[in-house]
């Protein structure tokens, strides 16, 4: 995908050598993944990418604690159990590792942050970067409409009038099921309701109807503002009050990132610590004198969240996308959000692109008949759109198949 984006940049800017297009990639790793990631890249010769444009930096750690009394959990007789300090630890890690200075030295103006587990992520999305530049935004967050009220994703919202993401664990049953009973058809000039609901510590969480939400039209010729979308299920067509699911895909301007990263002690821009209840291996000092793997949650991990800086931005936008085109995460070994479901989502996306560009299939009656397309096509409508249409228009394909340039 990245090579395809670089080729597109060469064509649009009249650059003759792809080596002259710089697209730096920064991997935030942990103690347990750093050497594995580095060795993997070395074994594969960095996939023939410029070594200087791929950099790794480590995430910091927090101690694991017992929930009942807040004591350290011991990993061994002489070692405290530690865990990564959450994706919000990226700010201090960028600064202290020297990676942030590398970004400044390169003259980077905007960065994209995303989880590596989303196979459909649009890396270096030019339209999204264009939106950041056009709107002069500090922050932009990609979202999609939740599939159902209890989907386990955070929601984009306002807290005390400030941009925020609230995790699903912090929302009550009544809040996630709350619906607007107005007719929200965007073709009608309808006044939307607005709800304020108190959650922990007297914080007021607001719904998204005051939010600046954008979506791409089908022809990608403009960006249009819409107040809401209808979410449909078996019971009602009313819109969920908290409907914009957070996807862990964010963009930041460097001017904003500079303010956050330079505040290393969190004096001006403090981040709250979130608690994650987990199964944490512990050293049994009383009986077995061994490290035990518990069968249920026995402790807490302390984490920062990357989106907790949104409230410090002067302008934050929500970039609402089509889930089927950009979101297929791998979080579970089986079932939903698994490697199998991600492969199917990736296959279905490209099947639709082939059909839209004049191609057909002999046997497209089963999702298990997979299609894989060379990432050098990038993702449509960007990348090698003309070459892709020439490759598939008027042709019939038999699945499974790998489609190359």
């Amino acid at each position: 995908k990245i090579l395809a984006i670089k080729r597109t940049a060469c064509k649009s800017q009249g650059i003759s050598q792809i080596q002259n297009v710089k697209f730096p990639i920064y991997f935030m790793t942990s103690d347990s993944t750093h050497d594995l990631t580095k060795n993997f890249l070395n074994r594969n010769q960095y996939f023939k990418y410029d070594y200087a444009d791929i950099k790794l930096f480590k995430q910091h750690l927090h101690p694991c604690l017992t929930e009942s009394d807040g004591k350290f959990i011991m990993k061994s007789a002489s070692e405290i159990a530690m865990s990564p300090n959450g994706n919000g630890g990226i700010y201090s890690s960028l600064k202290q590792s020297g990676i942030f200075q590398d970004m400044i030295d390169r003259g980077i103006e905007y960065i994209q942050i995303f989880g590596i587990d989303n196979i459909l992520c649009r890396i270096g999305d030019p339209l999204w970067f264009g939106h950041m530049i056009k709107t002069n935004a500090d922050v932009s967050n990609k979202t999609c409409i939740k599939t159902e009220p209890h989907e386990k994703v955070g929601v984009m919202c306002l807290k005390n009038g400030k941009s925020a993401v609230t995790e699903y664990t912090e929302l009550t049953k009544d809040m996630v099921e709350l619906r607007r009973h107005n007719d929200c058809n965007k073709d009608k000039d309808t006044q939307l309701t607005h709800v304020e609901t108190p959650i922990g510590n007297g914080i007021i969480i607001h719904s998204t109807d005051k939010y600046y939400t954008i979506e791409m039209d089908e022809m990608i010729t403009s960006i249009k503002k819409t107040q809401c979308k209808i979410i449909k299920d078996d019971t009602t067509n009313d819109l969920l009050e908290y409907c914009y699911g957070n996807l862990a895909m964010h963009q930041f301007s460097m001017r904003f990132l500079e303010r956050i990263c330079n505040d290393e002690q969190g004096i001006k821009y403090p981040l709250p610590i979130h608690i994650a209840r987990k199964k944490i291996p512990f050293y049994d000092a009383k009986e077995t004198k061994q490290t035990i793997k518990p069968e249920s949650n026995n402790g807490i991990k302390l984490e920062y969240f990357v989106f907790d800086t949104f409230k410090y931005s002067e302008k934050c936008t929500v970039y609402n996308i089509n889930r089927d085109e950009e979101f297929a995460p791998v979080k579970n070994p089986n079932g939903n959000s698994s490697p199998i479901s991600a492969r199917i989502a990736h296959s279905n996306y490209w099947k639709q692109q082939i059909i839209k560009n004049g191609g057909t299939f002999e046997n497209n009656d089963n999702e298990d008949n997979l299609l894989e397309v060379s990432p050098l096509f990038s993702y449509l409508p960007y990348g090698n759109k003309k070459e892709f249409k020439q490759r598939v228009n008027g042709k019939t394909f038999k699945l499974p198949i790998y489609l190359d340039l």
Side-chain angles (χ1 to χ4, degrees), residues 323-372:
R323 173 192 300 261
D324 295 338
E325 295 180 350
E326 297 192 42
F327 189 55
V330 177
K331 298 185 181 296
N332 305 312
N334 300 294
N336 293 331
S337 299
S338 67
I340 293 175
S341 68
R343 288 183 68 193
I344 291 173
H346 183 266
S347 173
N348 288 343
Y349 169 75
W350 281 106
K351 287 177 182 178
Q352 290 300 314
Q353 296 304 323
I354 285 180
I355 292 170
K356 287 180 181 179
N357 284 274
T360 58
F361 298 97
E362 286 183 16
N363 54 336
N364 193 20
D365 55 346
N366 191 330
E367 284 188 333
D368 292 334
N369 289 329
L370 296 175
L371 165 68
E372 186 172 351

Side-chain angles (χ1 to χ4, degrees), residues 35-73:
D35 290 341
L36 289 171
T37 305
K38 187 174 181 179
N39 292 338
F40 176 76
L41 291 170
N42 283 328
R43 284 198 308 272
N44 291 278
Q45 299 180 324
Y46 281 65
F47 298 93
K48 302 190 184 303
Y49 207 76
D50 190 339
Y51 285 74
D53 287 341
I54 296 182
K55 296 183 180 294
L56 280 64
F57 65 103
K58 283 188 181 182
Q59 186 176 7
H60 297 150
L61 302 175
H62 275 160
C64 300
L65 309 176
T66 58
E67 187 168 7
S68 59
D69 53 16
K71 292 182 178 180
F72 292 137
I73 293 177

Side-chain angles (χ1 to χ4, degrees), residues 350 353-354 380 384-392:
W350 281 106
Q353 296 304 323
I354 285 180
L380 302 182
N384 300 313
K385 185 174 182 180
K386 181 178 179 181
E387 290 87 342
F388 185 75
K389 189 173 185 67
Q390 291 174 343
R391 181 74 173 82
V392 304

